[in-house]
Amino acid sequence: MVMGEIERETQVVVIGAGPGGYAAAFRAADLGREVTLIDSAPALGGECLHQGCIPSKALLTATHLQEQISAAQTMGIRVDGVSIDPAAMNQWKDGILVQLAKGLEQLAARRSIEIIHGHAIFTGSRRLRISDGGAGTLSFEQAIIATGSRPIHLPGIEIDGERIMTSREALQLRTIPERLLVIGGGYIGLELGSIYARLGSQVIVVELTEQLLPGIDRDLVQVVQQALRKHGVEIHLRTKVAGLQHQGQHVTVSLAQESGSTAALEVDHVLVAVGRRPNTDELGLEQTRVKLDARGFIQVDTQRRTVDARIYAVGDVTGEPMLAHKAAREGKVAAEVIAGEPAAFDNVTVPAVVFTDPEIALCGLSEVQARAAGYTVKVGKFPFRALGRALTLNATEGFVKVIADAEREVVLGVRMVGPNVSDLISEAVLAIEMGAQLEDLAASIHPHPTLSEALAEAAEVALERAIHIYHPRLKTR
Ligand code: FAD
Ligand code: NAD
């Protein structure tokens, strides 16, 4: 200990104040623990609030609205001269972040949680060193690691934060590129690529694998891919960046396709979005018994305990899916386990949403996964174009698909692509968690006219008693 530094003690220390960390801290405090929450960032909320979920959704909403206004003519609304003020849009977005971070600060204060802004490093299984703002040492009874993840960099491509960006810089909207190359056709590449395409950039997406959003059902991705192409986004699959040279305002890129052919293109900005890696390398974990897997993620059990009995880990540091709602649930579980409650991360499904236009949402098993798991499946698919509410919203692309066990008719999975499916998926999550059958979805009355009817309709299709779709094979009971 250096002279003049503070030596503190706490019952529970939480490192990282993102959705995993603050959920853990708040729950632990509510369960009567003395809690210290440490984050190296100046405000609470983590990557999700400041550089991820919230700013990206704010910009997606604003740019989607602009697009809707421009398309309002279809509905008999004449609008002239819609234009975008990026600085004002940025200001609106930043205002939301400030408001939410303030809310978290107040919620932490109400719970008497001690907040330290500094970088935490373990010096043992019961002690941390904090550098920066809150310099000193902290001994604890239990620690919860929630330090999140950061963008993966590609070898040979240096991120300068100006021309060559990660999602962090791209969400600042400093400039609207004329031609933007997006490396990686995953969640970030497509969400941020959509924002810039709507802002007027010519967006080129380069994806290494054979489809955008690898791992997500092909029929869902196909709908989004077509919509992106319709909006002028250029997509190169099975392609990687073989070289990149940056001079002044120009970035010259050479692309190499799996087939062996090559191409060159010139852009003015590049967004690198090829995945994220866990923040586990600068934590002093070698001073503890915490174990990492081959990719650097912390190994935990269903109670989010690491191998080191007093240390827990939640959120992105524990591996995929790297999603805020999974982090938050894990944070609550860890806090409850520490408080002696019989909690476990025993959720049947973690839903995923891609906020493209149309949106993709999914939970449970896909058709392929269900078959691979040994089920004989029954599938019901209902298109939004057959739904009154979708037509009145002028948003008819996409469908809802329900996958069920043919024998017991238990819902195994739901796949959605279409308008507002980010909200519609929660009913499917509840159905799966409760072991609902197709009958439960089909016979529950869904208000009309709403998009939610699509899920009940898809269940009716699976039960072969749909009325809004005619198929000679379908029969009424
Ligand atoms: P984080 O939110 O990453 O928080 C970790 C915190 O730990 C940070 O504040 C960091 O400063 C702090 N920290 C790290 N190391 C230390 C240390 N040694 N000492 C002190 N503090 C430290 N997920 C969704 O579910 N929905 C979305 O729509 C969505 N959109 C996204 C969009 C983008 C552009 C990005 C990048 C991500 C998005 N995500 C989304 C993913 C989501 O942000 C993460 O899954 C989520 O933030 C993980 O939460 P966490 O608590 O594990 O960590
Ligand atoms: P990702 O894993 O979703 O996508 C990365 C993509 O880059 C993949 O398709 C991969 O095949 C491709 N790729 C890898 N190396 C490449 C290369 N050299 N050249 C071309 N393509 C390459 O990762 P991401 O988009 O960076 O997002 C990171 C994580 O953040 C996501 O996995 C997700 O967990 C989270 N996130 C979630 C949301 C949401 O929930 N809506 C939004 C954004 C981010």
Side-chain angles (χ1 to χ4, degrees):
M1 159 124 185
V2 178
M3 287 294 286
E5 282 189 346
I6 305 165
E7 193 170 0
R8 301 176 175 88
E9 275 179 24
T10 191
Q11 282 184 326
V12 178
V13 61
V14 181
I15 311 161
Y22 80 70
F26 288 9
R27 190 78 186 108
D30 288 347
L31 290 167
R33 303 285 132 162
E34 179 200 10
V35 178
T36 302
L37 179 57
I38 307 176
D39 199 303
S40 43
L44 306 186
E47 186 87 355
C48 178
L49 172 48
H50 299 282
Q51 285 144 336
C53 326
I54 302 297
S56 59
K57 269 75 241 178
L59 295 177
L60 278 160
T61 305
T63 54
H64 182 56
L65 178 62
Q66 171 244 332
E67 217 174 49
Q68 282 184 310
I69 295 169
S70 306
Q73 232 158 231
T74 324
M75 298 183 197
I77 303 166
R78 265 194 294 282
V79 188
D80 297 317
V82 181
S83 64
I84 282 189
D85 177 346
M89 193 180 279
N90 230 1
Q91 207 178 357
W92 170 72
K93 175 215 33 159
D94 290 342
I96 298 170
L97 314 189
V98 170
Q99 189 182 337
L100 287 169
K102 255 193 206 151
L104 289 177
E105 217 173 281
Q106 284 164 5
L107 289 170
R110 295 290 292 270
R111 292 174 161 93
S112 305
I113 293 171
E114 184 192 18
I115 310 280
I116 300 176
H117 292 288
H119 184 89
I121 294 179
F122 285 93
T123 53
S125 290
R126 296 202 59 176
R127 193 182 271 253
L128 288 168
R129 244 194 84 69
I130 304 157
S131 53
D132 314 328
T137 60
L138 178 72
S139 46
F140 55 81
E141 288 172 21
Q142 279 100 6
I144 302 175
I145 304 171
T147 49
S149 62
R150 61 181 188 273
I152 291 176
H153 292 192
L154 284 174
I157 300 183
E158 196 194 327
I159 306 290
D160 66 3
E162 294 289 337
R163 299 261 151 204
I164 321 286
M165 310 177 281
T166 66
S167 52
R168 292 178 179 176
E169 296 79 31
L171 285 168
Q172 296 299 322
L173 278 199
R174 279 196 219 112
T175 45
I176 311 299
E178 250 175 63
R179 276 169 69 76
L180 171 69
L181 172 71
V182 176
I183 310 180
Y187 280 76
I188 293 179
L190 297 195
E191 290 187 359
L192 271 56
S194 299
I195 292 170
Y196 280 99
R198 292 174 194 162
L199 288 169
S201 301
Q202 160 71 57
V203 174
I204 303 142
V205 178
V206 169
E207 165 58 41
L208 188 65
T209 68
E210 58 177 10
Q211 74 158 54
L212 297 176
L213 297 165
I216 295 186
D217 315 38
R218 211 173 271 272
D219 53 348
L220 302 176
V221 176
Q222 206 57 39
V223 177
V224 168
Q225 183 168 318
Q226 271 167 13
L228 286 168
R229 284 204 162 122
K230 210 165 91 189
H231 284 80
V233 176
E234 198 177 305
I235 297 164
H236 299 265
L237 301 175
R238 292 193 174 103
T239 306
K240 63 180 179 186
V241 171
L244 188 148
Q245 280 186 326
H246 167 202
Q247 252 191 346
Q249 299 186 357
H250 303 286
V251 185
T252 309
V253 186
S254 46
L255 301 183
Q257 282 174 346
E258 203 182 82
S259 61
S261 60
T262 57
L265 45 95
E266 198 152 282
V267 295
D268 52 324
H269 284 80
V270 178
L271 165 62
V272 181
V274 293
R276 296 174 64 83
R277 54 182 288 213
N279 290 327
T280 47
D281 46 349
E282 288 170 12
L283 260 178
L285 290 178
E286 58 289 351
Q287 307 295 329
T288 70
R289 278 178 285 126
V290 172
K291 280 210 162 53
L292 305 181
D293 70 13
R295 294 170 63 202
F297 291 107
I298 297 177
Q299 292 180 354
V300 287
D301 66 11
T302 54
Q303 295 193 308
R304 306 298 101 171
R305 279 180 212 272
T306 68
V307 177
D308 201 318
R310 291 175 183 274
I311 305 179
Y312 295 69
V314 303
D316 282 9
V317 277
T318 63
E320 279 158 0
M322 289 193 260
L323 298 171
H325 40 274
K326 181 208 129 207
R329 168 82 186 125
E330 289 181 329
K332 290 175 201 164
V333 167
E336 287 167 10
V337 171
I338 286 172
E341 297 206 349
F345 188 82
D346 53 5
N347 293 62
V348 181
T349 180
V350 178
V353 173
V354 192
F355 291 82
T356 40
D357 183 19
E359 296 173 343
I360 288 178
L362 48 100
C363 63
L365 302 179
S366 70
E367 243 178 289
V368 174
Q369 289 165 339
R371 289 206 172 92
Y375 291 104
T376 305
V377 298
K378 217 177 217 188
V379 176
K381 187 170 170 180
F382 190 82
F384 278 107
R385 77 183 128 71
L387 201 66
R389 184 59 179 141
L391 270 93
T392 64
L393 288 167
N394 196 29
T396 53
E397 274 174 306
F399 58 84
V400 170
K401 189 160 74 170
V402 179
I403 299 115
D405 169 12
E407 200 184 315
R408 294 182 305 132
E409 296 186 344
V410 169
V411 180
L412 299 173
V414 173
R415 296 295 185 266
M416 300 178 166
V417 56
N420 291 5
V421 298
S422 51
D423 287 318
L424 302 185
I425 197 68
S426 295
E427 183 186 352
V429 174
L430 188 64
I432 290 174
E433 291 292 346
M434 296 190 72
Q437 292 179 301
L438 289 170
E439 181 67 21
D440 297 312
L441 289 179
S444 300
I445 299 175
H446 289 69
H448 177 73
T450 63
L451 295 172
S452 72
E453 290 171 284
L455 185 57
E457 296 275 3
E460 286 190 333
V461 173
L463 290 168
E464 301 191 352
R465 59 177 211 227
I467 59 163
H468 289 112
I469 276 189
Y470 179 72
H471 192 290
R473 261 196 313 113
L474 302 184
K475 61 175 192 291
T476 49
R477 281 188 192 164

